[in-house]
Amino acid sequence: MRRVLPVLLLLLSLLTACSSNESYTDTRYLMGTQCAITVYKRADQKVFDGFFSRLEELDHTISRTYAHSEIHEINENAGIEPVVVSAEIFSLIQRAMELCELTGGAFNPLVGALTDLWAIGTDEARVPSAEEIASVLSYTSPEHIVLDEEEMSVYLTSPHTHLDLGAIGKGYASDVLASYLRANGVESAIINLGGNIYCIGTKRHGEKWVIGLQNPDTEYGGYYSTVEVEDTAVVTSGAYERYTVEDGRVYHHIFDPETGYPSESDLLSATIISPDGTLADALSTAVFVLGSEQGRELIEGCGVEAVLLTDSLEIIRL
Ligand code: ADP
Ligand code: MG
């Protein structure tokens, strides 16, 4: 009975979920966050299993912290030798460097040295001295990466240069998973990778999805506004996700690569809406760093939609 009871309870909860709102949700902790998939028409369990095993695979490839991830290998060999990588990770790094250029370096996948120094979100988080920051800043320069398309290799030319795909990984994963679900006949679903949303199709009867935009000032669950969307990613970057407090000052996890300090723009949060989840993720980080004025130019230049929340609580819809 001890074994049967949890199974019965699980079955009961699934049945309730299916009959009450005609949806089925499955959640796992991956990519350092809570990841959920909700499908609005009963799908084969195999589709869910395939979804999470693909997500786990992506996590193990992209994460810097897994001992054998491709990104870890590249970082371990920084200043030593080029590392031959899979076609998938090569294209992702190539795209990341293009987006670095497009955003004028506000989104910079070579911020690894800064992320390590500040260690925000870990037990070792601390505010480094100005000298320490100045000493690592040059290692984030794009000139420290060599991509060889023929060899499919990646070389970080300084031992202190480190790749960190934290600002693009979940967006990329949402693109891959959306394609996977569509290819498996799923027409109506929401992928939620720790707040990185990808909506597939519309709700069951053709209505748009209503996505809440988290209020940076309240506990999780409070929204300052909503957007109505279909078939698109909705990605937000904000100072409230991960931070450390020292001497009463809050230091968050998104760095301005020009200064080496957590960005200090006029934005409390930046949401980008685009069917290209990878682009949306990189742009949300970049726009958050750049602020409303420069951010607007970037958003308009990229032809995406956006909702920005400023520190004077103005909501800008673009
Ligand atoms: P989240 O991952 O919390 O949703 P972001 O997509 O904005 O938020 O990514 C933030 C992460 O990206 C940081 O934790 C860090 O690893 C990395 N990062 C920080 N600043 C930058 C930056 N300017 N450009 C690229 N990556 C960054
Ligand atoms: Mg991002």
Side-chain angles (χ1 to χ4, degrees):
M1 192 61 196
R2 226 190 270 160
R3 279 195 182 176
V4 175
L5 193 62
V7 175
L8 277 179
L9 286 176
L10 180 69
L11 275 179
L12 195 67
S13 68
L14 292 185
L15 284 174
T16 319
C18 288
S19 59
S20 61
N21 54 17
E22 300 164 324
S23 70
Y24 174 88
T25 300
D26 203 348
T27 309
R28 309 260 171 96
Y29 192 85
L30 283 165
M31 295 202 128
T33 189
Q34 207 63 32
C35 296
I37 159 92
T38 299
V39 168
Y40 286 81
K41 202 167 151 190
R42 198 189 277 252
D44 201 310
Q45 182 60 38
K46 269 198 216 137
V47 174
F48 290 96
D49 294 343
F51 178 93
F52 283 110
S53 60
R54 187 73 181 99
L55 183 54
E56 197 170 349
E57 205 179 280
L58 285 166
D59 189 6
H60 285 234
T61 315
I62 296 170
S63 163
R64 306 174 56 188
T65 48
Y66 283 111
H68 298 293
S69 78
E70 294 194 73
I71 297 299
H72 184 84
E73 285 298 307
I74 296 167
N75 287 341
E76 283 288 290
N77 285 288
I80 303 172
E81 61 180 357
V83 175
V84 175
V85 293
S86 62
E88 178 172 35
I89 207 75
F90 188 85
S91 310
L92 178 58
I93 295 170
Q94 217 170 24
R95 179 99 202 271
M97 294 317 299
E98 284 164 19
L99 292 168
C100 178
E101 201 178 333
L102 179 81
T103 62
F107 160 80
N108 179 350
L110 296 178
V111 287
L114 277 175
T115 331
D116 288 344
L117 186 63
W118 286 82
I120 290 169
T122 75
D123 293 341
E124 277 91 53
R126 67 184 181 94
V127 180
S129 68
E131 290 74 29
E132 284 177 287
I133 293 171
S135 73
V136 304
L137 214 48
S138 68
Y139 301 124
T140 64
S141 164
E143 74 196 28
H144 288 303
I145 188 167
V146 179
L147 299 175
D148 184 329
E149 199 155 7
E150 225 152 80
E151 294 287 323
M152 223 182 281
S153 69
V154 183
Y155 181 43
L156 302 177
T157 59
S158 157
H160 304 292
T161 298
H162 289 140
L163 265 171
D164 175 349
L165 298 185
I168 201 177
K170 283 179 275 171
Y172 173 71
S174 75
D175 281 337
V176 173
L177 295 167
S179 304
Y180 163 82
L181 290 177
R182 288 184 179 121
N184 280 279
V186 174
E187 289 169 356
S188 174
I190 293 213
I191 300 167
N192 182 350
L193 309 180
N196 247 265
I197 309 284
Y198 202 110
C199 308
I200 295 180
T202 59
K203 287 201 246 173
R204 260 177 85 88
H205 304 293
E207 311 100 335
K208 291 190 175 190
W209 302 105
V210 182
I211 306 294
L213 304 180
Q214 193 181 331
N215 185 346
D217 274 345
T218 59
E219 301 263 287
Y220 187 76
Y223 301 124
Y224 74 86
S225 189
T226 56
V227 287
E228 292 191 25
V229 295
E230 63 182 87
D231 265 324
T232 193
V234 180
V235 182
T236 301
S237 282
Y240 52 89
E241 294 280 350
R242 258 179 291 146
Y243 56 85
T244 188
V245 182
E246 206 171 294
D247 297 330
R249 258 197 85 170
V250 175
Y251 296 89
H252 62 77
H253 73 311
I254 301 175
F255 301 104
D256 180 342
E258 269 192 9
T259 65
Y261 283 84
S263 69
E264 288 189 69
S265 75
D266 63 336
L267 293 180
L268 297 179
S269 96
T271 298
I272 306 291
I273 302 155
S274 163
D276 182 341
T278 313
L279 175 70
D281 202 359
L283 286 183
S284 73
T285 305
V287 169
F288 182 76
V289 169
L290 291 172
S292 59
E293 219 167 284
Q294 279 179 278
R296 176 193 289 268
E297 283 171 30
L298 184 59
I299 289 159
E300 288 172 352
C302 292
V304 297
E305 286 178 56
V307 184
L308 311 180
L309 179 66
T310 71
D311 50 14
S312 54
L313 301 184
E314 186 192 355
I315 299 173
I316 305 173
R317 287 177 185 269
L318 297 167

